[in-house]
Amino acid sequence: MSQSLSAIARDRNIRYFMISFTDLFGVQRAKLVPAESIDAIASSGAGFAGFAAWLDQTPADPDILAFPDVDQLFQLPWQPDVAWLPADLYTPDGNAVDQTPRLVLKRVLAKAEEIGLRIKTGVECEYFLLSASGETISDGRDRQSKPCYDQQALMRRYDVIREICDAMLTLGWGPYQNDHEDANGQFEMNWTYSDALVTSDRHAFFKYMVKSIAEKHGLRATFMPKPFAHLTGNGCHMHLSAWDPEGKENLFYDPNGMLGLSDVGYQFIGGVLHSAEALCAITNPSVNSYKRINAPVTTSGATWSPNTISYSGNNRTHMIRIPDAGRFELRLADGSANPYLLAAAVIAAGLDGIANKRDPGPRCDNNNYTEPLPVGTVKQLPAYLLDALRKFESDTILSEALGAAFSTAYPKLKRQAWNEYSAHISSWELDTTLDC
């Protein structure tokens, strides 16, 4: 960026900058900096107490410094006097805070570049629009058992959807469609794929943007994996392809390959399948995540989420789908996934697949909801977060690729969250065991 941030502020009438980082649990933390101070703060870093966020630090540790990526500036379309800047974390003596999710992704992408691969991704972020209290779906007339693509329900939320889509148009993301999803009150908005770090920054900003615009309209948006037991949950489907360093040739594309996918593409899929159980600790990072995968049938007739570690062609009942030549879709992740860790972990698993030429095995074309594969044919997904964390802790592929600092900090904090959940006495437990 040739201009200073203060000069950009003058040109664009920006009064404040949010220097923002995403912690290990996907929570966005920010300092609001007036334009008059932005150049100094961007140069020296915005100070944060690491223990106050979900990072593996103590109150005795020195401040961490957030240095904004000045080439990734997002001027808020709904509040244009404010701009958002994603940031990376460093110690006061200039060392990277290696557990920082955005830096974890950068390291994985650097490893891809070393072998001549430029990874591109796209994400499909599903969310619910709820009442301001978050207790009910915001549209009382949205009651169909099969509400997916419901035209009336979509247009009753036109003001919110239009404002979000208009914002993406203003930002230059190339949004191309918006729809009502499979659950009552649920929506999805699609924008054009890009380089993995660009998509992850946009993914992080998208979640902030959707929540902010929903609040502006007196509503509450949630990406929670399974807010309602009887409805389809919020997935975060990821599309991946690998390109040459210039981004001109799709190395996953082979017109002679099965379903138009190259050997490299299948090896990448093989790596994702091989590490899938450990991967779940990242793609499905919350206790609630495991109420979405392996879930019973919803009122719509299908959960649209996977239950086995398997892949297929254009078949949405498996963990991986190959909908088109030259790319694949991972249907495993949910709305609570950290935008940076999601990409980092999936790419790391795929790179291992390429390095070891992992065979994904035979394609599964069955309807996995009504005609499940025989027991033992493929592995099941973990049933609980604790199961996924144990797989992650015993896995060497992801831990080595994501780095020792992250691979120690992340499961440590996630186990704390699991223990907090385990200590909670639910109303179900009281209803079923109080009279024992």
Side-chain angles (χ1 to χ4, degrees):
M1 180 174 288
S2 56
Q3 278 186 303
S4 66
L5 287 172
S6 59
I8 291 172
R10 287 191 295 273
D11 289 347
R12 301 189 191 179
N13 295 316
I14 296 169
R15 297 182 61 199
Y16 287 91
F17 291 83
M18 279 192 294
I19 297 180
S20 174
F21 74 90
T22 302
D23 69 18
L24 289 173
F25 283 15
V27 179
Q28 294 181 41
R29 314 285 181 166
K31 288 283 185 78
L32 189 64
V33 179
E36 289 79 2
S37 303
I38 189 59
D39 288 339
I41 296 296
S43 176
S44 62
F48 292 83
F51 179 73
W54 290 113
L55 295 169
D56 186 20
Q57 294 204 330
T58 75
D61 288 318
D63 280 359
I64 52 177
L65 300 174
F67 288 89
D69 186 339
V70 297
D71 293 321
Q72 294 295 323
L73 182 149
F74 297 72
Q75 188 170 358
L76 277 54
W78 69 96
Q79 194 170 351
D81 63 335
V82 179
W84 182 88
L85 290 162
D88 298 323
L89 299 180
Y90 289 82
T91 63
D93 55 5
N95 293 317
V97 179
D98 287 336
Q99 60 182 284
T100 308
R102 196 170 187 266
L103 289 177
V104 172
L105 174 56
K106 283 186 171 182
R107 288 196 301 271
V108 172
L109 292 176
K111 292 176 183 177
E113 290 172 4
E114 288 174 4
I115 61 171
L117 298 181
R118 182 172 173 177
I119 308 298
K120 297 191 178 188
T121 61
V123 288
E124 301 174 4
C125 304
E126 296 170 342
Y127 62 92
F128 282 87
L129 287 176
L130 308 177
S131 61
S133 67
E135 296 175 356
T136 60
I137 292 164
S138 64
D139 183 355
R141 289 185 284 173
D142 190 350
R143 297 194 297 267
Q144 287 195 47
S145 61
K146 280 186 175 290
C148 200
Y149 312 125
D150 185 313
Q151 180 171 279
Q152 294 297 130
L154 173 67
M155 293 307 291
R156 282 197 296 271
R157 286 289 167 259
Y158 172 72
D159 287 350
V160 181
I161 301 301
R162 178 197 61 195
E163 185 166 356
I164 297 168
C165 190
D166 282 351
M168 289 192 282
L169 287 165
T170 299
L171 292 166
W173 294 9
Y176 55 90
Q177 62 182 11
N178 312 287
D179 66 74
H180 189 295
E181 267 298 326
D182 190 64
N184 306 112
Q186 187 185 44
F187 300 88
E188 178 182 292
M189 311 177 75
N190 304 128
W191 69 88
T192 306
Y193 70 94
S194 189
D195 290 330
L197 182 61
V198 172
T199 293
S200 294
D201 282 337
R202 290 175 176 177
H203 183 182
F205 185 79
F206 179 79
K207 295 181 76 171
Y208 166 64
M209 176 168 64
V210 168
K211 293 175 184 177
S212 298
I213 292 176
E215 288 176 4
K216 178 181 171 183
H217 288 266
L219 305 176
R220 182 173 181 177
T222 181
F223 295 84
M224 181 179 177
K226 189 77 168 178
F228 303 101
H230 65 295
L231 299 178
T232 303
N234 283 324
C236 183
H237 304 149
M238 172 177 272
H239 295 258
L240 293 98
S241 53
W243 299 64
D244 70 327
E246 290 73 36
K248 294 181 179 179
E249 181 186 359
N250 183 351
L251 303 179
F252 277 10
Y253 175 69
D254 181 353
N256 300 314
M258 184 173 60
L259 300 177
L261 204 64
S262 68
D263 289 344
V264 170
Y266 279 107
Q267 290 166 3
F268 197 108
I269 288 174
V272 174
L273 294 172
H274 181 78
S275 295
E277 291 172 294
L279 198 61
C280 282
I282 308 294
T283 57
N284 308 88
S286 67
V287 169
N288 182 256
S289 294
Y290 297 83
K291 297 183 187 330
R292 171 184 166 267
I293 57 175
N294 302 318
V297 174
T298 61
T299 55
S300 72
T303 65
W304 301 101
S305 59
N307 49 45
T308 60
I309 299 172
S310 53
Y311 81 102
S312 187
N314 200 349
N315 178 336
R316 288 181 168 87
T317 66
H318 292 268
M319 190 184 91
I320 287 176
R321 177 174 76 112
I322 304 174
D324 260 326
R327 66 183 169 99
F328 73 88
E329 175 192 45
L330 178 69
R331 299 181 58 78
L332 178 60
D334 63 51
S336 65
N338 184 306
Y340 301 101
L341 298 180
L342 167 60
V346 175
I347 294 167
L351 294 180
D352 167 74
I354 293 172
N356 291 285
K357 294 181 168 56
R358 297 198 185 276
D359 184 352
R363 194 178 75 229
C364 302
D365 292 328
N366 61 305
N367 180 338
N368 222 25
Y369 298 154
T370 60
E371 302 168 358
L373 296 164
V375 175
T377 305
V378 295
K379 290 183 178 179
Q380 298 292 125
L381 292 168
Y384 302 98
L385 176 61
L386 182 60
D387 296 336
L389 289 172
R390 286 170 173 163
K391 291 292 183 181
F392 180 86
E393 289 169 321
S394 64
D395 178 87
T396 57
I397 294 168
L398 292 183
S399 61
E400 290 178 4
L402 302 180
F406 168 79
S407 299
T408 299
Y410 183 80
K412 174 184 175 181
L413 295 182
K414 281 295 177 181
R415 275 184 174 270
Q416 290 178 9
W418 173 264
N419 290 338
E420 289 175 14
Y421 163 73
S422 299
H424 172 72
I425 307 301
S426 69
S427 58
W428 182 89
E429 291 172 276
L430 293 173
D431 290 343
T432 57
T433 58
L434 195 62
D435 291 331
C436 286

